[in-house]
């Protein structure tokens, strides 16, 4: 049989690695890294390498199903797509008629191929309520903050050929996780030129071991640390005075503001010695060009917008902006996605849950406004401020990755209609009324511009195989929009893709498919052509936008609500600082536990504990350990290691056990979000809740219970 080879792009994480899909007849036989791709040069990570095991996994959902017994009873009836779409369309029309379109909410997961299609369908339907667990907690706080500060979203210049002299990794471990919308291979290759490394991380990661300066901070104190570094750079006049004078707004106000935030002030807050803070600030400011690699760790505490603002000012005042080997703005090679938000009236936009408070998540300050999850869950549970009756989840294991899983469970049970599209049965799809079988990435057509927002490289994804009756999420939305006779959102998927790339770079989808990828030449110092896209035309150290929206125009320090400093009474019973969710190279968030080869490499959830903390509690390496917070208790397996501060424990997130019986599949055993809270206070602008830097206590699990 002849083998056909299709160029495509892996999307098992946020994506990016170029691949060659080998197809024999109807079957995908090999997934090979594409050596021509600038994002991976032929390499694939463990997850990408097991794509065939994902596509052909025996547990894949292959046809639509309707719940046969009570909700969550685990009894299902196979139905046709016709029946599934008819039933969903009819039930949505009824809810819309009786409660208004806003009573229907859409949900999805992080940065997937179809993420923008979820909000597009919601907007076509007329509802402003769509959400994603990362929108207030991951990446989008950085995007929206940078849009306010810089007028665009900066990314690391991995592709321009100028190596960085210094890289600072702030709460980010791209060797395990891959930066958002880039690939880990570029991050790995950037180490080849032997840059000076600074790491800000409570755990001694591989990068921390290689670092010139490792700042082992207390989780949740990133704002204090960033402010102290700004203090040192400005007080010692290590900033780029010329760039600052010409291209920033509010430097004098910032300088006066950070004078109080000395390294000596920061030491007891951050647990980092003042001398180390000074050393890091000096090294960073004096070694140029330098890259800032930052991650979601700074977005998992309330008040994240001000933390991000403070961290982002380090590259700004040192002039590492839009320069070779530094932070650069993108070429935006992909046109704007047609979100159809214009289909919502101003009144409907104002009804978005959270829009009354969180301008940078739900309103004018958001690149793409989304609903505030805790407010949405409350609307499901209590009908306040108005009822939400239906939730359509396309690619998110809600019980696993939203904060406060027990409350999420309670909220989902109150719905009239829960529809879930996924690759597999999960503890969340088990609660649905209708389950839809989604196509995985080699089964669908798409385009992607990476890094996300910047779109310096455009890649085409193409359908290589058909599995069962699976449909791509995009196709499901088009089919539903047509069935419901919606006024917009009914064009074919390929029409939308084609128009979007044509707008960005002039190529059509078919042409891009043939090329595999397209990389427009990167230009630097683009701000010289017309300033920064902010109200003042400069980088706004003092933010006129935040001020206008009623938020602090200069960054400040504030303790997370649950911490040894802010809640010493809780700390008496829960003395350890808990951080969660450092990424695992073998899994993407809650996924892939059913892929045998990956599971073999990382069979159990791991809690990291320092030997001095473990010993008095009788905890040895590989013991199962209870981890308990005010919200609840779970168990994970101990890794006793001096690579973590004795006052901190780290647990993994995303754990459930596909091999255990449904409907729960062990979701309550080791799930980090049994321990987290989604209660206020929230970030005033973004509505962010606290997923990390909480308080906990630990105990050995006795043999019988293990
Ligand atoms: N293989 C794989 N890749 C992934 C993912 C995955 O699940 N698996 N998930 C994707 C997603 S959704 C995201 S958002 C990114 C996340 O990717 P990253 O941003 O890299 O996130 P983490 O690895 O969680 O965080 C990096 C480091 O932050 C440290 N850290 C923990 N708490 C704090 C703190 O309070 N302050 C600071 N400064 N550091 C802290 C952790 O010890 C960890 O080493 O990765 C994406 N890529
Ligand atoms: N405690 C704690 N909680 C966290 C985090 C943390 O660090 N700590 N991290 C947070 C962050 S940064 C993020 S981004 C979120 C991640 O949260 P999500 O991105 O929502 O990740 P999952 O919950 O794993 O949901 C992904 C689901 O999509 C399914 N899927 C995969 N591909 C497709 C597809 O093409 N179509 C469809 N329909 N389904 C598909 C998978 O099988 C899986 O069930 O978690 C957040 N939650
Ligand atoms: S890093 Fe992401 S895109 Fe690359 S092979 Fe792994 S899962 Fe696929
Ligand atoms: Mo994320």
């Amino acid at each position: 049989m002849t083998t056909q080879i299709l160029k495509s792009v892996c999307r098992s994480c946020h994506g990016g690695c170029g691949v060659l899909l080998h197809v024999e007849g109807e079957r995908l036989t090999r997934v090979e890294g594409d050596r021509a791709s600038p994002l991976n040069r032929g390499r694939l990570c463990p997850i990408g390498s097991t794509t065939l095991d994902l596509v052909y996994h025996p547990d894949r959902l292959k046809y639509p199903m309707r719940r046969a017994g009570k909700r969550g009873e685990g009894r299902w009836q196979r139905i046709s797509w016709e029946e599934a779409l008819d039933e969903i369309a009819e039930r949505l029309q009824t809810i819309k008629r009786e409660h208004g379109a806003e009573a229907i909410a859409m949900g999805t997961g992080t940065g997937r191929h179809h993420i923008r299609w979820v909000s597009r369908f919601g907007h076509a339907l007329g509802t402003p309520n769509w959400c994603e667990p990362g929108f207030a907690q991951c990446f989008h706080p950085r995007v929206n903050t940078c849009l306010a500060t810089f007028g665009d979203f900066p990314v690391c210049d991995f592709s321009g050929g100028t190596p960085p002299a210094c890289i600072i990794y702030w709460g980010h471990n791209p060797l395990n996780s891959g930066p958002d919308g880039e690939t880990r291979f570029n991050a790995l290759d950037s180490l080849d030129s032997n840059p000076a490394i600074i790491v800000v991380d409570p755990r001694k990661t591989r990068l921390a071991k290689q670092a010139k300066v490792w700042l082992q901070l207390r989780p949740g104190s990133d704002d204090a640390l960033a402010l102290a570094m700004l203090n040192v750079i400005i007080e010692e006049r290590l900033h780029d005075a010329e760039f600052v004078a010409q291209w920033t707004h509010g430097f004098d106000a910032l300088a006066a503001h950070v004078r109080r935030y000395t390294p000596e002030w920061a030491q007891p807050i951050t647990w980092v010695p003042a001398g180390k803070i000074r050393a890091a600030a000096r090294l960073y400011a004096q070694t140029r060009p330098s890259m800032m690699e930052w991650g979601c760790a700074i977005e998992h505490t309330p008040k994240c917008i001000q933390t991000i603002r403070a961290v982002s000012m380090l590259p700004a005042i040192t002039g590492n902006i839009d320069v070779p080997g530094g932070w650069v703005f993108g070429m935006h090679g992909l046109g704007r996605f047609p979100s159809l938000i214009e289909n919502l009236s101003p009144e409907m936009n104002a009804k978005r849950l959270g829009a009354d408070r969180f301008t940078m998540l739900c309103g004018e300050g958001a690149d793409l406004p989304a609903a505030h999850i805790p407010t949405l869950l409350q609307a499901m549970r209590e009908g306040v401020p108005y009822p939400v009756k239906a939730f359509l989840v396309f690619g998110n294991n809600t019980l696993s990755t939203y904060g406060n899983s027990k409350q999420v469970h309670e909220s989902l049970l109150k719905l009239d209609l829960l529809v879930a599209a996924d690759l597999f049965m999960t503890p969340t799809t088990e609660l649905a009324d209708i389950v839809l079988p989604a196509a995985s990435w080699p089964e669908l057509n798409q385009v992607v511009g990476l890094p996300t927002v910047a779109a310096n490289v455009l890649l085409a994804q193409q359908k290589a195989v058909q599995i069962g009756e699976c449909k791509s999420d995009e196709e499901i939305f088009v089919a539903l929009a047509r069935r419901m006779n919606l006024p917009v959102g009914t064009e074919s998927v390929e029409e939308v893709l084609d128009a979007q790339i044509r707008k960005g770079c002039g190529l059509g989808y078919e042409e891009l498919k043939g090329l595999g990828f397209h990389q427009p030449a990167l230009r630097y110092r683009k701000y010289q052509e017309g300033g920064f896209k902010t109200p003042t035309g400069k980088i706004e150290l003092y933010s006129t936008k935040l001020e206008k929206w009623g938020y602090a125009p200069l960054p400040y320090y504030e303790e997370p609500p649950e911490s040894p400093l802010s809640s010493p009474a809780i700390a008496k019973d829960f003395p350890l600082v808990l951080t969660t969710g450092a990424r695992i190279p073998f899994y993407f968030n809650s996924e892939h536990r059913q892929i045998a080869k990956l599971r073999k490499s990382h069979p159990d959830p791991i809690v990291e504990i320092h030997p001095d903390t473990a010993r008095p509690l009788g905890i040895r390496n590989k013991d199962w350990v209870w981890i308990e917070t005010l919200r609840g208790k779970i168990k994970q397996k101990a890794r006793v290691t001096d690579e973590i501060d004795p006052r901190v424990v780290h647990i993994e997130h995303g754990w459930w056990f596909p091999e255990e019986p449904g409907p729960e599949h062990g979701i309550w055993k080791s799930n980090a979000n049994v321990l987290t809270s989604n209660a206020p206070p929230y970030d005033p602008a973004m509505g962010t809740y606290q997923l990390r830097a909480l308080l906990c206590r630990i105990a050995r699990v006795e043999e019988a219970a293990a």
Side-chain angles (χ1 to χ4, degrees), residues 13-14 47 110 138-139 142 170-174 176-180 184 200-203 205 217-222 294-298 300-301 579-589 650 653 692-693:
C13 71
H14 292 132
I47 301 173
T110 186
C138 165
F139 188 59
R142 273 172 284 161
W170 201 299
H172 184 37
N173 186 16
N176 275 3
S177 57
D180 301 278
R184 71 186 65 192
V200 182
D201 199 306
R203 294 162 58 245
T205 59
L217 86 173
R218 175 171 63 92
S221 67
D222 298 82
W294 52 356
C296 65
I298 54 172
H300 285 178
T301 50
T579 190
T580 73
R583 295 325 195 218
I584 307 166
F586 306 100
Y587 305 123
F588 195 64
N589 297 309
H650 171 267
H653 96 121
R692 302 192 189 197

Side-chain angles (χ1 to χ4, degrees), residues 14 108-110 112-114 132-134 137-138 296 300 393-398 400-402 421-424 426 438-441 444 473 580-583 588-591 653 672-673 676 691-692:
H14 292 132
T108 185
T110 186
R112 274 313 190 355
H113 58 91
H114 62 287
E132 189 261 293
Q137 316 283 149
C138 165
C296 65
H300 285 178
V393 190
F394 283 77
N396 156 250
N397 188 352
T398 319
S400 164
T401 45
Y402 281 31
D422 206 295
L423 308 180
F424 293 97
T426 71
S440 74
W441 65 263
L444 56 98
D473 301 84
T580 73
R583 295 325 195 218
F588 195 64
N589 297 309
S590 79
E591 289 179 59
H653 96 121
N673 284 320
T676 58
L691 286 175
R692 302 192 189 197

Side-chain angles (χ1 to χ4, degrees), residues 47 59 66 82 312 326 376 508 528 663:
I47 301 173
D59 296 346
R66 181 195 288 130
E82 294 295 302
S312 75
L376 177 72
Q528 288 179 344

Side-chain angles (χ1 to χ4, degrees), residues 398-436:
T398 319
L399 288 183
S400 164
T401 45
Y402 281 31
N404 195 352
S405 305
K406 292 249 164 85
Q407 191 213 59
V408 171
H409 186 246
E410 197 192 316
S411 312
L412 297 183
L413 290 182
K414 291 280 164 87
L415 290 164
D416 285 355
L417 176 66
L418 178 63
V419 175
D422 206 295
L423 308 180
F424 293 97
M425 214 59 184
T426 71
T428 302
T429 58
E430 293 272 14
L431 298 182
D433 301 282
I434 293 188
V435 170
L436 302 175

Side-chain angles (χ1 to χ4, degrees), residues 664-679:
E664 293 187 350
H665 301 290
I667 187 69
W668 304 116
K669 201 161 96 181
S670 301
N671 172 2
N673 284 320
V674 167
L675 306 183
T676 58
S677 165
N678 62 358

